[in-house]
């Protein structure tokens, strides 16, 4: 089997998580500046066997698309041109940042690390991926 890769896409940073090859466990991989995301993906997708990208889908409380969906749609268009053989599925990401912060609190991570937005994005990507795995 191949890995699944999750993206918590943001205007400034993108959190990235990945599964093991058996697709059982979601783990945080890294956070990259969104401006360098395609460079990262090109290298990672060349080096690793990735079957699917799970992309967070930000929604408002009423289920409508959030403002950041416009940026995500532009990303999707470019991604599909550069990586036409890798499918993308969307996963609702409502509350993932709050869940990530709470998970960090529960695990005893210190205040200074909890303020690290890059770490929050990475944990959010992990929650997106874990939610996808549970749904699957």
């Amino acid at each position: 089997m191949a890995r699944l890769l999750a993206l918590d896409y943001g205007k400034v940073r993108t959190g990235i998580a990945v599964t093991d090859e058996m697709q059982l466990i979601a783990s945080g991989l890294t956070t990259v500046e969104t401006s360098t995301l395609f460079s990262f993906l090109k290298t990672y997708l060349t080096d690793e066997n990735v079957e699917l990208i799970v992309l967070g889908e930000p929604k408002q409380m009423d289920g409508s698309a959030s403002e950041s969906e416009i940026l995500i749609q532009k990303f999707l268009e470019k991604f599909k041109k550069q990586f036409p053989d890798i499918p993308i599925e969307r996963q609702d990401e409502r509350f993932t940042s709050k869940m990530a912060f709470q998970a960090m609190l529960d695990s005893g991570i210190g205040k200074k690390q909890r303020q690290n937005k890059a770490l929050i994005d990475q944990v959010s990507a992990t929650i997106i991926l874990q939610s996808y795995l549970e749904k699957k």
Side-chain angles (χ1 to χ4, degrees):
M1 290 181 91
R3 298 179 188 278
L4 304 181
L5 191 74
L7 303 175
D8 180 24
Y9 187 90
K11 184 176 184 178
V12 177
R13 289 174 312 280
T14 298
I16 303 172
V18 67
T19 64
D20 59 303
E21 290 181 348
M22 297 299 294
Q23 299 179 6
L24 299 173
I25 300 168
S27 303
L29 181 62
T30 190
T31 300
V32 299
E33 298 297 316
T34 299
S35 61
T36 66
L37 180 59
F38 276 98
S39 175
F40 172 86
L41 288 173
K42 185 175 182 182
T43 301
Y44 192 84
L45 296 175
T46 299
D47 295 344
E48 298 289 338
N49 187 12
V50 175
E51 174 180 312
L52 173 77
I53 302 289
V54 179
L55 180 61
E57 185 174 19
K59 294 182 178 183
Q60 302 290 344
M61 291 302 297
D62 65 2
S64 63
S66 77
E67 294 174 16
S68 57
E69 186 63 23
I70 294 167
L71 297 172
I72 292 172
Q73 287 302 316
K74 290 178 183 177
F75 164 79
L76 279 169
E77 289 173 24
K78 188 174 178 182
F79 183 91
K80 289 175 184 177
K81 287 178 185 170
Q82 287 196 18
F83 308 104
D85 297 331
I86 300 178
I88 293 182
E89 290 197 26
R90 302 297 300 273
Q91 175 67 37
D92 188 345
E93 67 171 55
R94 281 180 283 190
F95 307 114
T96 56
S97 293
K98 288 180 183 173
M99 292 167 63
F101 187 79
Q102 187 61 49
M104 291 166 63
L105 266 176
D106 294 346
S107 68
I109 290 177
K111 183 177 181 180
K112 190 165 187 150
Q113 279 189 294
R114 288 194 311 264
Q115 293 172 338
N116 179 349
K117 293 183 191 250
L119 182 57
I120 293 172
D121 291 338
Q122 183 178 326
V123 174
S124 293
T126 306
I127 292 169
I128 290 167
L129 187 52
Q130 188 62 46
S131 297
Y132 176 83
L133 290 173
E134 290 169 4
K135 182 180 81 174
K136 194 174 118 175

